Amino acid sequence: MSELQPTKTILRLHLPTDPRWVNIAEKNIEDILVDHAYCEQKAATSAISLIVKYPDKTRLVDELTDLVAEEWSHFEGVLEQLKKRGFGLGRNRPDEYVVELAKHIRKGNKRERQLMDHLLVNALIEARSCERFKLLWKNIQDEELQKFYYELMVSEAGHYVSFIKLAKEYMPAEEVDARLNELLQIEADIIRNLEPRPDRMH
Ligand SMILES: [Fe+2]
Ligand SMILES: [Fe+2]
């Protein structure tokens, strides 16, 4: 199995996940899977919202249409893992991590700047999810889930790259890189302030 290195070098996350999180997660796999299913749903919903908001941006519409299909197939995959273990979908829980991060999408009349922020926030959610899938892949005991999380890790790493590329399609590359650096710091601060929780992917 070739190993991606979704660490700081590719994903550029400033703060690694607390290693205690995997042990906590494995003991609460029903909650983690339910929360994960909704993460996939939110990823699909967020991409659909961007398509609806920016229908004039053809490349974005094309790329995100493919991404929505992939996120929905991830949702189906998580649902299947839940069913195999005798669990149902369960209720959606608020995702404080995403809510905090989304506060940094600047509003106002600069449409492209808002789009860039939105794409970069989505990129960071992909990066953090990818990092957590890597932890699960490498540490969880259940072999089927190991394989499942490995595949998701690879897919979300691709989404991370796509979101940054899309941002650079509509805004100058140096502005995107500068904003990405700011948001990476903000993301690290959010993670630092959130206790690892037994029932959350983030
Ligand atoms: Fe996904
Ligand atoms: Fe994704």
Side-chain angles (χ1 to χ4, degrees):
M1 199 182 272
S2 69
E3 185 187 339
L4 265 184
Q5 291 292 335
T7 56
K8 201 171 172 182
T9 48
I10 292 178
L11 301 178
R12 298 173 60 196
L13 294 172
H14 287 192
L15 188 76
T17 288
D18 186 326
R20 291 174 298 170
W21 175 77
V22 177
N23 298 331
I24 301 170
E26 188 157 26
K27 289 194 189 94
N28 294 282
I29 201 65
E30 180 181 2
D31 280 327
I32 288 294
L33 284 169
V34 169
D35 192 58
H36 178 186
Y38 285 108
C39 290
E40 301 295 356
Q41 171 266 312
K42 283 169 201 146
T45 302
S46 166
I48 291 170
S49 301
L50 282 170
I51 291 169
V52 173
K53 197 165 174 185
Y54 299 94
D56 52 315
K57 307 217 177 292
T58 309
R59 169 111 191 267
L60 176 143
V61 171
D62 289 348
E63 289 228 3
L64 294 189
T65 297
D66 291 345
L67 186 139
V68 168
E70 284 182 37
E71 300 297 13
W72 203 250
S73 77
H74 296 170
F75 177 86
E76 289 173 328
V78 184
L79 202 54
E80 196 184 311
Q81 295 298 331
L82 275 163
K83 280 185 191 157
K84 276 185 184 171
R85 288 163 181 78
F87 305 134
L89 177 57
R91 290 179 67 86
N92 187 19
R93 274 83 52 106
D95 190 334
E96 289 167 53
Y97 167 74
V98 172
V99 169
E100 286 304 312
L101 210 45
K103 287 179 184 167
H104 298 275
I105 299 170
R106 293 167 294 182
K107 304 289 187 294
N109 55 7
K110 292 184 179 163
R111 191 167 180 259
E112 260 76 22
R113 191 184 76 172
Q114 191 175 336
L115 171 61
M116 171 181 73
D117 280 6
H118 209 143
L119 292 169
L120 292 180
V121 161
N122 283 15
L124 290 180
I125 298 167
E126 298 285 357
R128 184 58 69 184
S129 302
C130 183
E131 188 236 13
R132 300 229 159 159
F133 292 145
K134 182 184 181 189
L135 279 173
L136 290 166
W137 160 51
K138 295 195 86 109
N139 295 290
I140 211 161
Q141 301 299 312
D142 184 315
E143 283 182 17
E144 189 178 356
L145 285 179
Q146 275 175 17
K147 186 170 174 288
F148 181 59
Y149 287 125
Y150 173 79
E151 287 167 2
L152 289 178
M153 175 190 77
V154 173
S155 176
E156 311 303 9
H159 294 167
Y160 166 77
V161 172
S162 296
F163 276 121
I164 291 174
K165 272 195 190 156
L166 271 179
K168 289 183 177 175
E169 176 91 11
Y170 301 112
M171 287 289 276
E174 41 313 345
E175 237 177 285
V176 173
D177 287 331
R179 184 61 178 153
L180 178 60
N181 281 333
E182 288 173 4
L183 287 168
L184 279 162
Q185 195 51 55
I186 288 166
E187 199 270 351
D189 291 340
I190 293 169
I191 288 290
R192 195 174 289 111
N193 292 326
L194 284 176
E195 275 288 296
R197 294 177 62 166
D199 58 348
R200 298 286 200 280
M201 272 305 297
H202 301 119

